Amino acid sequence: MAYDPIQEDCLRLILGAMQRERIYPIENAPFIESCLQKYNRDPASLVATDRDRSFHLVTLATETIDYRLPFAQDDETADREAAEAEAQLREACELDPGNWDAKRMLAAVEAETNDAYVGYLIDHRAEVEADLEQMASSAHDVYAREFANGFGKRPYVRWLAAIAARALVAGQYRIALDAAEDCLAFAPDDPADVRLTAVLAMANLNVPVMTCGASSEARRGVPLARTRPPPAPSCRKDL
């Protein structure tokens, strides 16, 4: 997901718990620490809504796909874990039809070809963007605004990054570059690590790399390296 799935799941659940219990300010360190401990003991203890459960299932599926499947000891194990991840993604889509991460990942599983997957991502991009805009406009309290300004933007960033990466693989370099530039314009700190995709697309299009990161309307020369924001509190157990 171009993010630490456990970290994101944990912090989303903590924000949800703050909203339910009306904890303010949201930088309440003792409450956050208490929730971190609960998450490490049992993440389900913080799951309260279908949306919570849906994203938690995406987290579980991502952990399987990214960290377990590549190291499966045999085909039987790989097939079993892949089927489990797919089932989790299907359930996530059913629980929250607005879970675009689940839809994107499930589409990747179901698509017969990479070109078909790129087509799906392009066809539904406007819907993802519209949902983001609706979320932002309906955020009427501090918790909803915090979500909309942070976690709520990430599915769209990941959607654009997926278009860029998969279009690059498909040899659709102009589509890859346009999507990468749109992603960088939307999230200049590049949390999805899409800048390298843009550079590779530029190389294939013979576009000067110094223009990487500018909008497709008027490239302004965004530098390749940027300062990242400080890391969030760790939600992972010590291994």
Side-chain angles (χ1 to χ4, degrees):
M1 293 199 302
Y3 295 84
D4 182 330
I6 289 181
Q7 189 88 340
E8 184 167 345
D9 183 44
C10 175
L11 295 178
R12 284 173 59 122
L13 290 173
I14 291 174
L15 181 59
M18 287 182 164
Q19 185 174 26
R20 288 191 302 276
E21 300 186 30
R22 314 308 292 180
I23 301 297
Y24 188 82
I26 58 174
E27 297 83 7
N28 187 307
F31 185 83
I32 292 172
E33 180 59 30
S34 173
C35 288
L36 287 174
Q37 293 175 6
K38 289 180 181 178
Y39 188 90
N40 282 331
R41 289 194 299 269
D42 178 18
S45 65
L46 294 176
V47 173
T49 67
D50 284 348
R51 188 175 76 169
D52 290 344
R53 173 65 178 164
S54 178
F55 193 83
H56 185 62
L57 286 167
V58 168
T59 297
L60 296 177
T62 304
E63 286 278 287
T64 296
I65 293 168
D66 288 353
Y67 303 118
R68 292 208 298 272
L69 269 180
F71 305 103
Q73 295 183 348
D74 52 59
D75 290 345
E76 182 179 354
T77 300
D79 290 344
R80 183 178 65 253
E81 292 187 341
E84 180 182 359
E86 183 175 350
Q88 289 167 335
L89 292 173
R90 291 187 186 283
E91 184 180 353
C93 291
E94 293 171 0
L95 287 170
D96 179 11
N99 187 335
W100 289 105
D101 283 314
K103 289 183 175 182
R104 172 179 51 79
M105 293 172 67
L106 186 59
V109 172
E110 294 179 335
E112 294 184 1
T113 66
N114 186 59
D115 284 348
Y117 180 47
V118 172
Y120 172 88
L121 294 172
I122 292 173
D123 289 345
H124 293 277
R125 171 182 169 174
E127 297 174 55
V128 186
E129 187 173 8
D131 272 9
L132 173 65
E133 293 173 353
Q134 194 278 331
M135 180 193 307
S137 65
S138 62
H140 298 311
D141 64 34
V142 64
Y143 311 100
R145 287 193 294 271
E146 180 73 13
F147 185 90
N149 291 331
F151 300 121
K153 292 182 176 181
R154 292 185 178 187
Y156 185 56
V157 172
R158 288 190 278 259
W159 201 275
L160 292 175
I163 293 176
R166 291 305 190 101
L168 180 71
V169 171
Q172 300 179 42
Y173 303 122
R174 174 52 59 187
I175 291 176
L177 179 56
D178 286 348
E181 289 183 325
D182 288 345
C183 189
L184 289 167
F186 183 75
D189 58 333
D190 193 17
D193 293 325
V194 76
R195 199 171 299 272
L196 177 60
T197 305
V199 170
L200 293 173
M202 284 177 159
N204 283 281
L205 291 168
N206 295 317
V207 176
V209 173
M210 281 301 294
T211 64
C212 177
S215 68
S216 55
E217 291 81 10
R219 297 186 175 91
R220 294 182 294 273
V222 175
L224 294 181
R226 288 185 174 272
T227 300
R228 295 295 181 86
S234 176
C235 297
R236 288 182 176 271
K237 298 177 183 178
D238 292 333
L239 300 179

